[in-house]
Amino acid sequence: MTLAAAGCGKASSGQPAAAHKAITVGLAYDIGGRGDKSFNDAAAAGLEKAKTSLDVQIKELEALQSEDDDARYGRLKLLCDAGYKAVVAVGFVYAGNDPANGPLARAAHDCPNTKFAAVDVDTVHAPNLTNLVFADDQGSFLMGAAAALKSKTGKVGFVGGCTLPLIKRFEVGFTAGVKAVRASAGVAVKYLSTPQHACSGFINPTAGQAAAAKMYAGGADVVYHAAGGSGLGVFRAAKASGKWALGVDSDQYQLVPPELRDVILSSMIKRVDTAVFEFIKSVSEDKFTAGTVTFGLRSDGIEYATSGGKVDDIKPQLDAFEQQLSDGKIVIPGAAAAS
């Protein structure tokens, strides 16, 4: 389903507001938890909105880098056993190494009366599970276009947190956007970790800084990251090199320390906050629907940030690409294969 198909779009005028009932909500963060200035913080923003506008009681727990699938299952099971009626699992880690028998699948099976939502997971399905996924490749295409339009050297870079199909979609979309603007541009690519190393590259700013610094030294003048908390290192490398960086998941210009804001050209925003809030709202209104909900450009589930005004001069080009992507006139090659 698209966002609109799932009933998560704007309400029609003249329709009475649905009644909300008091519910308990448990949220299990990805590795890094609150404070990553990116993916987890976007989920937290949705939770905060629910706290202020709905009648909810919440519990937040966080994944650890060193834990196994049994520990992740235990976290989800702990929340449903404690009586939380809505449980949000943030990130691919909850799918597990074997999605059919992983943490999320087991918890959904063992807790049939709990409504689950999984952010960035579409490999696990159950009657009590909503899969909240995003058109990451489309947003990354816009970041690639911005990088190519702003680059003076014709060389840009991509830093990924882990060699996962999900993060590969970011790379594929970014490269496609670069090439759409400047076919001759070079794209350097570096992944910071593998699943065999517990995807530690999402919480290693030092590694992110080293990877980006090498790209800048090699001539790149814009680097895009899809590396969670490690993106802070990318921004530090940009600052030290006097070059540009592109953020991800949240409007990172608004979240990073003030001294790093001037290097952030834009960010690809995944409205994880919207996804989390709409799921909680659907449970509170007894309108929960199982299945896949896709948040994309057409449904305002993906955006690009304009904070700082650094893409104001190329906004017409970015908006044109956005419209073409929304209309299906641009199809990103390889994105489906990377899923």
Side-chain angles (χ1 to χ4, degrees):
M1 292 181 286
T2 64
L3 178 61
C8 296
K10 294 179 180 178
S12 301
S13 60
Q15 295 295 322
H20 301 123
K21 66 179 182 181
I23 62 169
T24 51
V25 180
L27 192 143
Y29 288 110
D30 200 350
I31 297 168
R34 269 191 187 253
D36 69 348
K37 313 296 184 186
S38 185
F39 183 59
N40 285 300
D41 279 355
L47 193 64
E48 291 300 323
K49 183 178 179 181
K51 284 170 62 177
T52 59
S53 60
L54 304 173
D55 188 3
V56 300
Q57 297 180 9
I58 66 167
K59 176 71 173 180
E60 300 169 74
L61 299 175
E62 178 182 331
L64 302 176
Q65 180 187 339
S66 60
E67 69 186 15
D68 58 16
D69 281 356
D70 285 340
R72 290 167 185 146
Y73 162 76
R75 179 175 303 106
L76 299 177
K77 187 67 162 54
L78 177 66
L79 290 169
C80 69
D81 284 348
Y84 291 89
K85 299 302 182 185
V87 173
V88 183
V90 181
F92 67 89
V93 295
Y94 291 99
N97 296 318
D98 175 14
N101 299 290
L104 188 58
R106 290 168 60 194
H109 176 271
D110 294 346
C111 304
N113 296 322
T114 300
K115 306 302 184 186
F116 288 88
V119 180
D120 273 352
V121 176
D122 200 24
T123 54
V124 181
H125 300 278
N128 56 335
L129 171 63
T130 294
N131 305 84
L132 306 174
V133 299
F134 298 83
D136 316 287
D137 56 316
Q138 293 183 346
S140 295
F141 183 102
L142 296 178
M143 294 297 95
L149 288 165
K150 284 289 191 175
S151 176
K152 295 180 179 179
T153 65
K155 296 180 180 180
V156 299
F158 172 82
V159 175
C162 189
T163 54
L164 295 163
L166 171 66
I167 304 304
K168 182 67 177 179
R169 285 208 308 270
F170 287 78
E171 179 203 333
V172 168
F174 177 72
T175 300
V178 171
K179 299 295 185 179
V181 171
R182 199 169 183 174
S184 62
V187 182
V189 175
K190 174 66 176 180
Y191 284 88
L192 303 180
S193 63
T194 67
Q196 290 71 33
H197 295 93
C199 286
S200 58
F202 288 115
I203 53 171
N204 192 341
T206 300
Q209 183 168 355
K214 185 175 182 180
M215 291 176 182
Y216 292 130
D221 53 359
V222 187
V223 174
Y224 174 47
H225 86 88
S230 298
L232 191 62
V234 174
F235 301 146
R236 288 170 180 159
K239 182 73 172 181
S241 303
K243 304 293 175 59
W244 293 115
L246 291 157
V248 77
D249 293 335
S250 300
D251 184 354
Q252 296 201 276
Y253 179 94
Q254 303 290 347
L255 298 175
V256 300
E259 65 271 16
L260 296 178
R261 289 177 183 166
D262 61 340
V263 306
I264 299 180
L265 184 62
S266 179
S267 296
M268 190 273 276
I269 303 174
K270 289 169 59 171
R271 296 313 302 261
V272 177
D273 56 337
T274 298
V276 169
F277 173 78
E278 292 292 348
F279 162 70
I280 296 170
K281 182 169 175 280
S282 75
V283 177
S284 73
E285 295 177 349
D286 286 325
K287 293 183 178 179
F288 169 84
T289 303
T292 300
V293 183
T294 301
F295 295 76
L297 288 170
R298 183 183 293 273
S299 57
D300 296 327
I302 294 286
E303 303 172 3
Y304 71 91
T306 58
S307 297
K310 299 177 181 64
V311 293
D312 288 354
D313 58 327
I314 60 171
K315 193 173 187 300
Q317 296 99 310
L318 295 181
D319 288 346
F321 279 127
E322 182 175 12
Q323 189 63 54
Q324 291 176 69
L325 287 161
S326 295
D327 292 344
K329 294 179 180 178
I330 294 178
V331 178
I332 300 171
S339 299

